[in-house]
Amino acid sequence: MKIAIMGAMIEEITPLLERFKEYETVEFAKNKFYTLKYKSIDITIAYSKIGKVNAALTASILINRFGAQKLLFSGVAGAVDETLHIGDLIAADSLAQHDLDITVFGHPYGFVPESKVFIKSDEKLLEIAHETARALNLTLKNGIIATGDQFINSREKKEWIKKTFNANAIEMEGAGVAFVCDALNVPFFILRAISDAADAKAGFDFDEFLQSSSKISADFIIAMLERISI
Ligand code: SAH
């Protein structure tokens, strides 16, 4: 089986590379892809760089060039849901693009013709994630992740995204990955550990918690692999 694990930033994949230690590096499309074998799984790890375009490009490459049959995303996000605190895990059950706006033509936010507002994550991978959480005695919440090419650090903007998409968390890549995987029929799972509350102090919190939250997310993805490989 071939599995891709991606993040957006180097900090998000560093705990994975440190865990696996031995890998080969392949350069392609001005990016680096790390390939390795773990038990019976061929794994390719990459970070896309920030934003939906980079995320969509990397997801496409992981699938088309590296043959990924499942894609797992590990990273950090801003909390919208008040019950999510720094370090908490959230698994996307669906994702939308909060900055996609042709509403002047009568369409809802996040919608363009022949597409949809929300893309759903793979149910089997979500189940595996919850089995993993139970086994590790960790709390894993499912929710809606809203993605856009903006770092959100305002209560007002965050409230708008919450109201419009019923979102639990916000970040800058998930929906890009989800749309690519959906179009190419590849099961995907998007996990985020909270790094900030997308409020006025989000910039400070993000810098302080990027590393620790990235590790929480990456460790969970590694634990999930044990169950995917069985
Ligand atoms: N400090 C970085 C930029 C980080 S952008 C630099 O200078 O290069 C924020 C990253 O973390 C994105 O990849 C996004 O997916 C995620 N993220 C975390 N909190 C977020 C928030 N409040 N709003 C949007 N994205 C957030």
Side-chain angles (χ1 to χ4, degrees):
M1 186 194 299
K2 292 187 177 177
I3 293 185
I5 311 179
M6 75 176 270
M9 293 168 285
I10 182 81
E11 291 86 351
E12 290 171 327
I13 67 156
T14 296
L16 298 164
L17 297 179
E18 283 176 352
R19 159 69 181 75
F20 293 114
K21 290 188 186 76
E22 280 180 28
Y23 44 82
E24 278 177 29
T25 306
V26 180
E27 292 201 24
F28 185 71
K30 301 185 179 163
N31 203 355
K32 288 196 176 91
F33 296 81
Y34 306 95
T35 61
L36 60 106
K37 185 118 189 150
Y38 176 66
K39 298 189 180 168
S40 59
I41 316 176
D42 289 308
I43 298 181
T44 308
I45 300 173
Y47 73 93
S48 58
K49 294 175 269 191
I50 295 163
K52 286 189 294 177
V53 171
N54 284 325
L57 173 66
T58 300
S60 309
I61 292 170
L62 286 166
I63 295 165
N64 281 323
R65 155 118 198 199
F66 292 92
Q69 295 161 302
K70 293 186 198 304
L71 192 153
L72 312 177
F73 190 104
S74 179
V76 300
V80 172
D81 178 336
E82 309 275 303
T83 68
L84 286 173
H85 303 289
I86 287 166
D88 287 353
L89 288 166
I90 172 146
D93 52 23
S94 54
L95 302 101
Q97 301 179 68
H98 69 69
D99 58 349
L100 187 57
D101 178 357
I102 56 166
T103 53
V104 69
F105 300 101
H107 300 295
Y109 285 104
F111 180 82
V112 293
E114 296 177 53
S115 191
K116 41 194 169 184
V117 177
F118 293 100
I119 300 287
K120 275 194 158 313
S121 304
D122 182 64
E123 286 195 4
K124 252 207 206 112
L125 288 172
L126 273 172
E127 255 171 51
I128 291 175
H130 283 278
E131 280 167 21
T132 307
R134 276 195 295 277
L136 297 176
N137 213 4
L138 289 174
T139 304
L140 174 66
K141 186 161 184 162
N142 281 3
I144 293 173
I145 289 189
T147 303
D149 286 327
Q150 301 154 358
F151 182 82
I152 306 296
N153 62 342
S154 114
R155 195 154 273 280
E156 210 183 8
K157 188 81 213 254
K158 162 172 134 164
E159 287 309 319
W160 180 84
I161 293 170
K162 184 178 185 173
K163 186 178 79 199
T164 312
F165 295 94
N166 200 18
N168 299 87
I170 24 190
E171 37 84 309
M172 302 177 67
E173 297 81 20
V177 172
F179 277 82
V180 167
C181 291
D182 182 61
L184 297 173
N185 255 325
V186 170
F188 68 93
F189 174 75
I190 305 223
L191 182 72
R192 298 277 182 169
I194 299 301
S195 55
D196 58 83
D199 54 10
K201 61 185 199 30
F204 293 105
D205 286 344
F206 176 88
D207 284 342
E208 188 170 346
F209 297 108
L210 169 62
Q211 227 179 330
S212 55
S213 291
S214 292
K215 172 108 172 69
I216 290 170
S217 177
D219 285 349
F220 191 92
I221 292 283
I222 292 164
M224 265 180 83
L225 282 180
E226 303 294 336
R227 286 168 193 275
I228 296 175
S229 64
I230 294 168

